[in-house]
C-alpha cells in the first residue's frame, strides 16, 4: 500500500495544474466583442481580428518619463479633447491622410473633376470649388497643376465644436501651375517656374457619426 502514495500525489498535482489552466483560460481568453476598430479614411491604422481587451501600457522605448499634462489652451490640449471624443484619433495618421487628401483635391480641381471632389468637401467648400471650375470652363481655359513636392503637412489648430472635431493643417508644397486658353496660349503661370505655396485647410468630422470620413470645411492662405 505504501507504494500507492506517490501515485496519489501525482494525481493530486495533475488536478491542481488542470484547475490553474482553466482559470488562466477564463481570464486571458475573455473578449468584449468590440475588438475591431472601424476604418477611418484619415487614420489608416491597420488592425487585426481578435485583439484582446487585456491591454498593458508599455513604458516609453526611449526611457524618458511620461510628459506632463499639456497646458490648457495649447494645441496638445486641444488634440487631447479630440481624442477623448474619438479614441481612435491619432494625429500622425491623420496628418498622413490629410496630405493624401490634399494631393487628391489639388489634382481633381485642376482636372475639373467635380465628382472626385464631392465626397472630400463640405457643401460650402464644394460649391466654391465647383463654381471656379465652371467659370474656368466657360472661359475655355485649362489648368495644369504639377505637385513637385510636399515640404510639410503640419497640424496647427484643433478644436471641438460640440460633437464636431475640427483639425487645421498647414500644407507647404512646391507646385507648377499653368493656365492656358482654348488656343493653348499662356494665361497665367510659367511652365518652368516652381512656386512654394502655403495652404491652410481645416477638416471636420462629427465624432458621434458612424461615417469615418473627414471633410474639408475651410481653406485660407496665411495673412
Amino acid at each position: 500500500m505504501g507504494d500507492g502514495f506517490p501515485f496519489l500525489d501525482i494525481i493530486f498535482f495533475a488536478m491542481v495544474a488542470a484547475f490553474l489552466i482553466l482559470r488562466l483560460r477564463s481570464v486571458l481568453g475573455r473578449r468584449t466583442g468590440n475588438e475591431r476598430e472601424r476604418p477611418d479614411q484619415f487614420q489608416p491604422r491597420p488592425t487585426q481580428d481578435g485583439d484582446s481587451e487585456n491591454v498593458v501600457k508599455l513604458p516609453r522605448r526611449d526611457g524618458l518619463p511620461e510628459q506632463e499634462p499639456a497646458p490648457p489652451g495649447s494645441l496638445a490640449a486641444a488634440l487631447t479633447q479630440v481624442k477623448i471624443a474619438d479614441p481612435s484619433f491619432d494625429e500622425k495618421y491623420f496628418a498622413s491622410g490629410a496630405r493624401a487628401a490634399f494631393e487628391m483635391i489639388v489634382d481633381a480641381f485642376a482636372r475639373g473633376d467635380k465628382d472626385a471632389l464631392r465626397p472630400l468637401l463640405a457643401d460650402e467648400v464644394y460649391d466654391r470649388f465647383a463654381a471656379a471650375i465652371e467659370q474656368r470652363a466657360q472661359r475655355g481655359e485649362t489648368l495644369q497643376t504639377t505637385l513637385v513636392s510636399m515640404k510639410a503637412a503640419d497640424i496647427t489648430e484643433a478644436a471641438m465644436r460640440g460633437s464636431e472635431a475640427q483639425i487645421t493643417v498647414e500644407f507647404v508644397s512646391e507646385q507648377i501651375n499653368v493656365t492656358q486658353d482654348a488656343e493653348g496660349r499662356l494665361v497665367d503661370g510659367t511652365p518652368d517656374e516652381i512656386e512654394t505655396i502655403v495652404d491652410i485647410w481645416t477638416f471636420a468630422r462629427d465624432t458621434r457619426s458612424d461615417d469615418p470620413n473627414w471633410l474639408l470645411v475651410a481653406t485660407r492662405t496665411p495673412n
Side-chain angles (χ1 to χ4, degrees):
M1 294 294 293
D3 293 337
F5 287 107
F7 178 72
L8 293 176
D9 290 342
I10 292 174
I11 294 176
F12 173 75
F13 287 121
M15 293 175 63
V16 171
F19 173 77
L20 292 175
I21 290 172
L22 290 175
R23 290 290 295 171
L24 287 172
R25 289 183 61 186
S26 68
V27 174
L28 299 179
R30 191 176 301 159
R31 295 290 187 272
T32 65
N34 299 315
E35 287 78 18
R36 291 187 181 182
E37 297 179 0
R38 57 181 175 77
D40 191 318
Q41 177 185 357
F42 284 4
Q43 300 170 48
R45 185 184 308 180
T47 61
Q48 295 181 350
D49 296 343
D51 291 343
S52 172
E53 70 170 348
N54 300 296
V55 178
V56 179
K57 184 177 180 181
L58 299 177
R60 294 182 54 178
R61 294 184 180 182
D62 55 15
L64 297 177
E66 294 294 332
Q67 295 181 352
E68 294 296 325
S74 68
L75 175 60
L79 288 173
T80 297
Q81 293 302 310
V82 173
K83 293 175 184 177
I84 291 173
D86 181 5
S88 68
F89 176 81
D90 183 288
E91 56 265 36
K92 177 181 176 182
Y93 291 104
F94 176 88
S96 176
R99 173 175 174 167
F102 177 86
E103 295 175 357
M104 288 188 291
I105 291 170
V106 168
D107 177 68
F109 177 74
R111 291 185 292 104
D113 190 345
K114 292 186 287 186
D115 290 338
L117 290 171
R118 176 66 277 189
L120 300 172
L121 312 180
D123 292 342
E124 183 178 349
V125 177
Y126 174 79
D127 290 342
R128 295 204 315 267
F129 277 49
I133 289 172
E134 291 169 0
Q135 292 171 6
R136 193 170 68 210
Q138 291 171 2
R139 295 191 299 267
E141 296 176 349
T142 58
L143 171 63
Q144 297 179 352
T145 295
T146 302
L147 187 59
V148 178
S149 68
M150 178 69 72
K151 301 178 71 68
D154 300 323
I155 296 176
T156 58
E157 301 172 25
M160 288 297 302
R161 310 292 185 192
S163 63
E164 182 181 77
Q166 296 185 356
I167 306 292
T168 299
V169 182
E170 181 179 87
F171 299 97
V172 181
S173 62
E174 291 184 332
Q175 302 179 23
I176 298 175
N177 292 287
V178 176
T179 302
Q180 297 175 317
D181 64 15
E183 283 72 38
R185 293 187 295 261
L186 188 64
V187 175
D188 187 38
T190 305
D192 57 357
E193 179 182 354
I194 299 176
E195 300 178 276
T196 298
I197 299 176
V198 179
D199 292 287
I200 301 174
W201 288 8
T202 300
F203 300 88
R205 188 181 80 80
D206 187 346
T207 58
R208 294 184 302 189
S209 171
D210 292 333
D211 185 353
N213 294 327
W214 292 78
L215 299 179
L216 178 62
V217 297
T219 66
R220 71 179 192 269
T221 56
N223 295 328

